[in-house]
Amino acid sequence: MVLSANDKTNVKAIFGKIGGHAEEYGAETLERMFAAYPQTKTYFPHFDMAKGSAQIKGHGKKVAAALVEAVNHIDDIAGALSKLSDLHAQKLRVDPVNFKLLGHCFLVVVASHNPAALTPEVHASLDKFLCAVGNVLTAKYR
Amino acid sequence: MVHWSAEEKQLIASIWGKVSVEECGAEALARLLIVYPWTQRFFSNFGNLSSPTAIIGNPKVRAHGKKVLTSFGEAVKNLDNIKGTYSKLSELHCEKLHVDPENFRLLGDILVIVLASHFGRDFTPACQFAWQKLVGVVAHALARKYH
């Protein structure tokens, strides 16, 4: 699965629209993921899961920053996220299935806040991009 | 049998009550075919699926999307017997249509995204939980009679 020039344009455009809300979207993505897929909470036993939790906000910010970094280096996502990839492989070892769940929840957040911007074509491109990010983060698992 | 809390039932019903089955059905199926193009393999007789614009405007896609979501409504009406509701449809999808059940999961997730885009903040995380559960149960029921 390869990102076409069109995909890259679509992804950059939608992230442009998201703009300064990226951190907020990151937090909401986690909130939705923990609510919709409770098993994902097993990776965060130390977290305060109450709504508005500082830890969820903080972690959401990190997740959003990583996505933005990937967008800014969309021609070399593997290079841009190389350290994060090492971290997930060696230390965090989050089961690969969970990246799909996170990606799906991110799409839900974008859809709920920007329905007009998430056209079917943009939806397709963003879904591909999120898959690519997940693939990079799990690439060194074995 | 799946257990639904009163809150889950209420969240499902309140969203479903405001859904345009024709619009959401058409949109969900169109997005499935656009976002996961390999799903077009089941619709070779649908005519022009050559571009997102063609897919969105395709009358067969719209009609079939409406049909699929109308059927989904049966699950909403029969939350306590989704297995029974889809028993025959499950056999059909296996024996006649030869559809990989993974496609039911894909369509279910697309439906959740379509609902989120239509309902915005009203599609709360709690709402999403109830609907992810529902689409999961429907997918499972449709796959149940496969052999």
Side-chain angles (χ1 to χ4, degrees):
Chain A
M1 179 206 56
V2 165
L3 295 177
S4 68
N6 230 41
D7 289 326
K8 294 177 186 179
T9 304
N10 286 340
V11 171
K12 283 179 184 283
I14 189 101
F15 268 82
K17 288 212 170 69
I18 292 170
H21 293 281
E23 291 179 2
E24 189 192 311
Y25 282 28
E28 191 181 333
T29 296
L30 289 176
E31 192 197 341
R32 283 184 179 274
M33 189 184 69
F34 294 143
Y37 308 107
Q39 68 272 21
T40 56
K41 292 189 290 187
T42 58
Y43 292 96
F44 302 92
H46 52 295
F47 262 32
D48 166 20
M49 292 295 181
K51 195 166 159 63
S53 133
Q55 282 173 310
I56 294 186
K57 280 207 174 98
H59 198 67
K61 200 172 157 180
K62 273 195 213 165
V63 170
L67 289 177
V68 168
E69 184 72 359
V71 174
N72 290 340
H73 297 89
I74 204 162
D75 291 324
D76 181 18
I77 297 175
L81 300 185
S82 177
K83 291 223 160 42
L84 259 185
S85 181
D86 291 336
L87 180 73
H88 282 78
Q90 290 153 19
K91 185 147 175 279
L92 304 177
R93 291 172 293 186
V94 171
D95 190 285
V97 72
N98 295 289
F99 296 100
K100 284 204 181 131
L101 304 181
L102 182 72
H104 171 65
C105 289
F106 184 74
L107 281 169
V108 170
V109 172
V110 173
S112 71
H113 289 265
N114 303 276
L118 195 73
T119 63
E121 295 96 319
V122 171
H123 177 172
S125 298
L126 191 52
D127 190 83
K128 279 172 80 173
F129 166 75
L130 293 165
C131 278
V133 169
N135 286 344
V136 163
L137 292 177
T138 57
K140 302 175 198 175
Y141 270 33
R142 57 177 171 169
Chain B
M1 200 189 88
V2 182
H3 172 75
W4 301 94
S5 72
E7 194 204 356
E8 285 162 4
K9 288 188 178 187
Q10 196 273 321
L11 287 168
I12 289 169
S14 88
I15 290 279
W16 187 252
K18 302 178 205 139
V19 162
S20 156
V21 166
E22 184 167 355
E23 280 312 309
C24 280
E27 192 180 339
L29 186 63
R31 281 183 187 257
L32 181 75
L33 298 174
I34 292 165
V35 178
Y36 307 113
W38 54 92
T39 58
Q40 293 170 25
R41 68 188 300 283
F42 302 107
F43 303 102
S44 53
N45 64 331
F46 268 29
N48 187 6
L49 298 178
S50 60
S51 71
T53 311
I55 291 170
I56 292 164
N58 185 312
K60 284 190 170 170
V61 170
R62 295 193 67 84
H64 196 67
K66 179 181 175 184
K67 186 174 180 186
V68 168
L69 204 60
T70 301
S71 171
F72 203 87
E74 290 303 303
V76 176
K77 275 196 288 211
N78 296 288
L79 287 177
D80 293 328
N81 185 25
I82 293 180
K83 267 198 307 223
T85 301
Y86 286 127
S87 179
K88 287 258 165 325
L89 259 184
S90 179
E91 286 169 7
L92 178 78
H93 280 78
C94 170
E95 292 158 15
K96 291 261 152 47
L97 305 178
H98 310 293
V99 175
D100 179 347
E102 179 60 21
N103 293 285
F104 309 140
R105 290 177 257 286
L106 290 178
L107 182 62
D109 277 351
I110 294 258
L111 178 61
V112 167
I113 290 171
V114 168
L115 292 177
S117 74
H118 281 243
F119 292 96
R121 348 172 60 103
D122 286 347
F123 195 68
T124 61
C127 227
Q128 186 183 347
F129 175 81
W131 276 87
Q132 297 287 173
K133 185 172 166 180
L134 178 59
V135 302
V137 169
V138 169
H140 187 259
L142 282 172
R144 201 167 159 270
K145 292 306 198 72
Y146 272 56
H147 56 90

